[in-house]
Amino acid sequence: MTPPEVPLAPDRSAPHRSASDPHAYDFDACYRAISGRDARWDGRIYLGVASTGIYCRPSCPARKPRRENCRFFASAAACVAAGFRACRRCRPDALPGSRDWDVRGDLAARAVRRIRDGAVDAHGVSGLARELAVSERHLRRVLIDEVGASPSSWRAPDGRTPHAR
């Protein structure tokens, strides 16, 4: 899917727009993007939350801020220049495609590779979790969310890899 076009605001002096951004965005369109956690807007706009001093990607899983606390920026650097720090949940300062951009997807991919290599058969789920530096519970939760199967059910009793959803 292609990212949606970000409409320019007809009135650049309207409130809730970043003064450091020469192309102030339409506030309502940007707020709808963060309300829907639309990942297509990631990298196109950044949300600065005035009440917390944190900036996020539009797809951040954190609670949606109140409208009056939202500021929209064109880049992560503009957020930092305005005095915001990066969110530790969505990591908006990470580069797209890097391990930090999609932490859960990266963890699931590494776990699946290790499971296919026989890590669960050799060391159990606890050994795999230790190897990946996460708890067993977190590993199980991520694999179920991302792949549709828990680490222990990934291998069928006859040794074949079952099909995930």
Side-chain angles (χ1 to χ4, degrees), residues 26 40 44 53 58 64 72-73 77 85 91-92 113 123 127 149 164:
D26 177 45
R40 295 177 300 164
R44 296 180 58 94
K64 180 180 70 171
F72 294 102
F73 297 89
R85 75 161 175 84
R91 298 179 180 175
R113 278 194 301 273
H123 308 291

Side-chain angles (χ1 to χ4, degrees), residues 24-143:
Y25 296 125
D26 177 45
F27 183 84
D28 293 327
C30 294
Y31 195 75
R32 279 192 306 274
I34 65 156
S35 296
R37 292 184 171 88
D38 192 347
R40 295 177 300 164
W41 289 71
D42 285 356
R44 296 180 58 94
I45 61 169
Y46 293 85
L47 164 71
V49 183
S51 59
T52 62
I54 294 172
Y55 74 95
C56 299
R57 292 191 273 168
S59 63
C60 184
R63 196 174 87 187
K64 180 180 70 171
R66 297 174 65 175
R67 289 179 72 91
E68 60 266 17
N69 293 327
C70 294
R71 308 290 182 269
F72 294 102
F73 297 89
S75 68
C79 295
V80 172
F84 294 96
R85 75 161 175 84
C87 173
R88 292 191 180 116
R89 288 185 77 179
C90 67
R91 298 179 180 175
D93 52 344
L95 295 172
S98 70
R99 287 176 68 172
D100 291 335
W101 184 258
D102 183 15
V103 176
R104 294 174 63 88
D106 180 66
L107 175 61
R110 289 186 297 137
V112 167
R113 278 194 301 273
R114 292 297 297 133
I115 290 168
R116 286 184 177 160
D117 291 344
V120 172
D121 298 334
H123 308 291
V125 177
S126 61
L128 175 63
R130 257 191 322 275
E131 182 182 323
L132 297 172
V134 296
S135 68
E136 284 183 60
R137 181 172 182 262
H138 183 66
L139 178 62
R140 186 171 289 107
R141 223 178 23 236
V142 167
L143 280 175

